[in-house]
Amino acid sequence: QVQLQESGGETVQPGGSLRLACAASGHSYLRTCMGWFRQAPGKEREGVAAMNRGTGRIVYADSVKGRFTISQDGAKDTVYLQMNNLKPEDTATYYCVANSALFCALAANEYNRWGQGTQVTVPH
């Protein structure tokens, strides 16, 4: 069984920074890929970033490239999302995701493990 627990969501002023964390439990071979998706009310889920825990290969959405950074700790049980220069359009519930794929893509239907989400709010 794989469980994902997000933390770090807060209300941040535009231009501010925030770091989200995802603590993962369960066998590591069931979470080869880990990443982040987000969803605002009334909008579809949007892939943000994903990484292969073993190879370190990373993919970012164009909307966050240059502002957000995904990383993992040395034990590879925690994945982070460093968010800089936050904008109102970044407001969403952020979900940590995982699967056992070899290539980690930003496609929601490829992830079978989802956390409960953490709220990030950037007011106008």
Side-chain angles (χ1 to χ4, degrees):
Q1 184 179 17
V2 173
Q3 290 187 320
L4 307 173
Q5 181 177 309
E6 306 95 334
S7 63
E10 302 285 351
T11 297
V12 182
Q13 295 300 310
S17 297
L18 194 64
R19 188 177 75 161
L20 306 182
C22 173
S25 62
H27 292 295
S28 61
Y29 59 82
L30 298 177
R31 43 184 173 89
T32 303
C33 298
M34 294 188 66
W36 296 90
F37 281 72
R38 65 185 182 185
Q39 186 170 25
K43 297 185 178 180
E44 295 182 348
R45 285 173 173 168
E46 176 186 27
V48 177
M51 72 180 304
N52 184 299
R53 291 175 49 258
T55 67
R57 184 181 179 90
I58 295 172
V59 61
Y60 292 102
D62 289 340
S63 59
V64 306
K65 194 173 299 181
R67 297 190 298 125
F68 292 9
T69 303
I70 188 171
S71 62
Q72 63 182 347
D73 65 1
K76 301 181 180 180
D77 291 327
T78 303
V79 174
Y80 303 95
L81 184 68
Q82 178 66 46
M83 304 183 293
N84 297 326
N85 191 23
L86 284 162
K87 304 176 180 180
E89 51 262 43
D90 295 319
T91 295
T93 300
Y94 284 71
Y95 297 91
C96 180
V97 300
N99 65 19
S100 58
L102 295 178
F103 181 78
C104 308
L106 293 178
N109 60 8
E110 295 185 3
Y111 291 88
N112 60 348
R113 306 289 184 178
W114 292 71
Q116 293 298 306
T118 185
Q119 179 67 37
V120 174
T121 301
V122 186
H124 289 280

